[in-house]
């Protein structure tokens, strides 16, 4: 039962990760990392397929090799997130409660990206050439 639930949630997470490639503000790598973990604990075949994927594999390999996310990627994600939050809060919604909720969630998201998501380590070019 646990295996089936992990596979279902992993597939949903992959779909959200793919959508995140095209929709600013929706993260890609965290959903793919979640999928990878879920598949690792439920289906070696799906885990290996995800990591070998032509389009999704590079996100996972880049995170794995550098043990985190680069500052440039973090900055772009924060800018995209705040762009979408601003549009939603000040163009779409007129209710101040919803606006405050969106702004609060934006602060939480920004703090998460800055302080919880690990920073990428520098790749030593001399080691790669050997």
């Amino acid at each position: 039962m646990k295996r089936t639930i992990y596979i279902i949630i992993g597939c949903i997470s992959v779909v959200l990760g793919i959508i995140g490639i095209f929709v600013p503000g929706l993260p890609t790598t965290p959903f793919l990392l979640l999928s990878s973990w879920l598949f690792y604990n439920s289906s070696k075949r799906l885990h290996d397929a995800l990591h070998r994927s032509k389009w999704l594999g590079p996100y996972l390999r880049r995170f794995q090799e550098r043990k985190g996310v680069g500052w440039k990627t973090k900055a772009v994600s924060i800018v995209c997130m705040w762009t979408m939050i601003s549009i939603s809060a000040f163009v779409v919604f007129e209710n101040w409660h919803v606006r405050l909720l969106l702004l609060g969630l934006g602060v939480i998201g920004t703090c998460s990206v800055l302080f919880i998501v690990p920073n990428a380590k520098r790749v030593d070019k001399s080691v790669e050439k050997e």
Side-chain angles (χ1 to χ4, degrees):
M1 181 72 164
K2 181 173 137 181
R3 181 177 185 267
T4 304
I5 292 171
Y6 277 12
I7 290 172
I8 290 169
I9 296 172
C11 290
I12 292 169
S13 184
V14 167
V15 170
L16 290 172
I18 291 169
I19 293 170
I21 294 171
F22 304 103
V23 176
L26 188 64
T28 297
T29 305
F31 283 119
L32 296 180
L33 291 171
L34 175 61
S35 298
S36 178
W37 183 86
L38 290 165
F39 291 156
Y40 180 81
N41 288 295
S42 61
S43 169
K44 180 173 175 26
R45 185 177 58 82
L46 289 173
H47 178 266
D48 292 345
L50 181 63
H51 281 262
R52 283 193 314 266
S53 168
K54 179 179 177 180
W55 296 286
L56 303 178
Y59 288 98
L60 294 167
R61 288 191 293 276
R62 192 177 318 118
F63 185 87
Q64 241 176 353
E65 290 166 4
R66 298 188 66 203
K67 306 278 190 262
V69 177
W71 279 106
K72 182 178 176 183
T73 304
K74 284 186 173 191
V76 168
S77 68
I78 290 171
V79 167
C80 289
M81 178 175 58
W82 277 103
T83 300
M84 297 307 292
I85 288 169
S86 298
I87 291 169
S88 298
F90 300 111
V91 176
V92 177
F93 296 105
E94 293 181 15
N95 184 324
W96 278 98
H97 292 96
V98 174
R99 287 180 176 172
L100 288 175
L101 176 65
L102 287 171
L103 294 173
L105 292 172
V107 169
I108 292 169
T110 301
C111 290
S112 298
V113 169
L114 291 176
F115 303 115
I116 296 174
V117 174
N119 295 324
K121 298 191 179 11
R122 293 185 184 268
V123 177
D124 188 5
K125 299 290 183 188
S126 62
V127 174
E128 286 182 359
K129 292 180 182 178
E130 293 177 8

